[in-house]
């Protein structure tokens, strides 16, 4: 019983430290910058410029905004954009392409905190963007080509907070800070549970058994045995839980920074049980295009995995 208590206390301390001292400050800064750019209309201008260039990939203007949100805010941020597309009557193929792109790209709430621990954020984001666009294009032109389309019935305009004057700027920053705090505090339960799960698996010997079974395969790929538990955690509990487990592995020397960068394409994305559940809750038409979106996102993640294996 005392060993279980020690495991829970250690996991709790590690989870809280990661959420409050790594995730929170990074998200406060990034969300403040993003929300100010939104409020000033700069992002809208960027979307207007870049949108036509991304039309061949099946992405409408709101799809471009969803790309910016996942790259610089969090994996859940595009949910609001997907909800607008769902209710605004956006063609199903455009929704499928946008969802595939979001599922296949690296989320900011993992990339930026882990950059403080050695993740090569510029490379991760560049590879993520390129492969996400490829996944979106394949979804639009191949996987979702038979989906019925419906023209826009309602104008879809992204509404932002007003940032005119000092009071408006402070209001936007305060709202962004509150949003960042909500993300960080909300991540604590999953972080703690994931760390407890890994520690228990190690204590009962299951992790050792899995490592023994998969060591030959991992050795041929020049990867450590810690990849097994990291992968299980990622695809069951999500990216935030994986982040907590990965930090623990890095601290214990079970995973090197180079190995983590090599695995980033395979690990850092919302293509997991938790991520998919959150994103499809944006609306019934979003959930209805999940199958082709998963295929396109799967291709994007495969390409990202190969790219990171080559680069690192």
């Amino acid at each position: 019983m005392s060993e279980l208590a020690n495991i829970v206390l250690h996991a709790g301390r590690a989870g809280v430290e990661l959420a409050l001292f790594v995730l929170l400050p990074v998200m406060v800064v990034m969300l403040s910058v993003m929300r100010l750019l939104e409020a000033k209309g700069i992002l809208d201008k960027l979307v207007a410029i870049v949108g036509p260039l991304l039309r061949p990939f099946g992405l409408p203007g709101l799809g471009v905004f969803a790309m910016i949100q996942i790259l610089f805010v969090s994996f859940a941020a595009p949910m609001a954009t997907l909800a607008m597309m769902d209710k605004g009557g956006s063609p199903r193929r455009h929704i499928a392409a946008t969802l595939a792109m979001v599922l296949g790209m690296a989320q900011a709430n993992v990339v930026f905190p882990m950059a403080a621990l050695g993740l090569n954020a510029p490379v991760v984001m560049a590879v993520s963007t390129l492969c996400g666009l490829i996944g979106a294009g394949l979804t639009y032109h191949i996987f979702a080509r038979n989906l019925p389309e419906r023209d826009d019935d309602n104008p879809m305009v992204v509404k932002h907070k007003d940032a005119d004057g000092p009071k408006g700027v402070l209001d936007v920053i305060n709202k962004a800070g509150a949003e960042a705090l909500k993300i960080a505090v909300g991540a604590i339960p999953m972080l703690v549970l994931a760390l407890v799960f890994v520690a228990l698996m190690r204590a009962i010997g299951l992790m050792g058994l899995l490592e023994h079974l998969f060591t030959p395969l991992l050795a041929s790929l020049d990867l450590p045995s810690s990849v097994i538990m990291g992968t299980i955690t990622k695809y069951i509990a999500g990216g935030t839980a994986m982040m907590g487990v990965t930090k623990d592995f890095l601290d214990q020397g079970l995973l090197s920074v180079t190995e983590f960068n090599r695995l980033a394409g395979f690990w850092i994305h919302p293509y997991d049980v938790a991520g998919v559940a959150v994103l499809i809750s944006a609306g019934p038409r979003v959930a209805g295009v999940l199958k082709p979106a998963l295929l396109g996102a799967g291709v994007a993640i495969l390409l990202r995995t190969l790219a990171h294996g080559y680069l690192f």
Side-chain angles (χ1 to χ4, degrees), residues 14-73:
V16 170
E17 287 178 354
L18 178 58
L20 298 185
F21 300 116
V22 178
L23 180 59
L24 179 58
V26 171
M27 294 309 297
V28 166
V29 174
M30 290 306 303
L31 279 169
S32 296
V33 172
M34 283 297 298
R35 296 313 183 202
L36 283 172
L37 292 176
E38 286 180 5
K40 292 293 186 180
I42 295 175
L43 287 186
D44 289 333
K45 294 177 182 177
L46 179 62
V47 168
I49 295 171
V50 177
L53 301 177
L54 300 185
R55 279 282 179 176
F57 297 98
L59 297 176
L62 284 177
V64 179
F65 198 77
M67 174 192 292
I68 296 172
Q69 287 175 317
I70 191 168
L71 280 176
F72 296 101
V73 182

Side-chain angles (χ1 to χ4, degrees), residues 30-290:
M30 290 306 303
L31 279 169
S32 296
V33 172
M34 283 297 298
R35 296 313 183 202
L36 283 172
L37 292 176
E38 286 180 5
K40 292 293 186 180
I42 295 175
L43 287 186
D44 289 333
K45 294 177 182 177
L46 179 62
V47 168
I49 295 171
V50 177
L53 301 177
L54 300 185
R55 279 282 179 176
F57 297 98
L59 297 176
L62 284 177
V64 179
F65 198 77
M67 174 192 292
I68 296 172
Q69 287 175 317
I70 191 168
L71 280 176
F72 296 101
V73 182
S74 74
F75 87 94
M79 187 172 68
T81 300
L82 287 168
M84 292 179 66
M85 296 177 72
D86 182 277
K87 294 178 176 62
S90 187
R92 292 179 185 269
R93 287 175 69 190
H94 285 162
I95 296 176
T98 302
L99 181 59
M101 176 197 66
V102 170
L103 287 170
M105 290 183 65
Q107 65 269 48
N109 59 297
V110 173
V111 172
F112 290 111
M114 296 308 290
L117 303 178
L119 181 69
N120 192 326
V123 171
V124 171
M125 294 171 71
V127 172
S128 167
T129 301
L130 176 60
C131 295
L133 289 174
I134 293 174
L138 289 174
T139 301
Y140 184 78
H141 295 289
I142 298 177
F143 302 129
R145 66 184 182 276
N146 294 324
L147 284 178
E149 294 196 3
R150 184 157 65 95
D151 293 332
D152 291 346
D153 296 327
N154 305 312
M156 294 180 290
V157 180
V158 183
K159 297 181 180 179
H160 306 304
K161 295 287 184 181
D162 183 19
D164 291 335
K167 184 178 180 181
V169 171
L170 287 175
D171 183 56
V172 170
I173 292 175
N174 287 334
K175 292 287 178 60
E179 187 179 351
L181 181 62
K182 183 179 179 181
I183 291 173
V185 173
I188 291 176
M190 193 58 72
L191 287 170
V192 173
L193 289 173
L195 291 171
V196 169
F197 171 73
V198 171
L200 287 175
M201 294 302 99
R202 190 179 295 142
I204 66 177
L206 180 58
M207 189 170 176
L209 176 62
L210 291 173
E211 289 173 355
H212 177 72
L213 291 174
F214 290 97
T215 292
L217 174 61
L218 294 174
S220 66
L221 298 174
D222 194 25
L223 291 172
S225 56
S226 56
V227 170
I228 299 169
M229 197 54 63
T231 301
I232 293 173
T233 304
K234 154 64 192 167
Y235 284 92
I236 294 178
T240 303
M242 177 276 298
M243 181 170 61
V245 171
T246 300
K247 183 181 183 300
D248 196 41
F249 288 161
L250 290 169
D251 291 342
Q252 296 182 40
L254 299 175
L255 186 72
S256 70
V257 172
T258 300
E259 289 166 341
F260 179 45
N261 277 287
R262 191 181 306 149
L263 289 163
F266 184 58
W267 276 359
I268 304 179
H269 51 78
Y271 196 118
D272 49 60
V273 174
V276 170
V278 168
L279 290 170
I280 64 173
S281 66
R285 298 177 69 233
V286 175
V289 299
L290 179 61

Side-chain angles (χ1 to χ4, degrees), residues 3-21:
E3 184 178 355
L4 176 60
N6 288 333
I7 288 175
V8 173
L9 290 174
H10 173 76
R13 184 167 55 250
V16 170
E17 287 178 354
L18 178 58
L20 298 185
F21 300 116

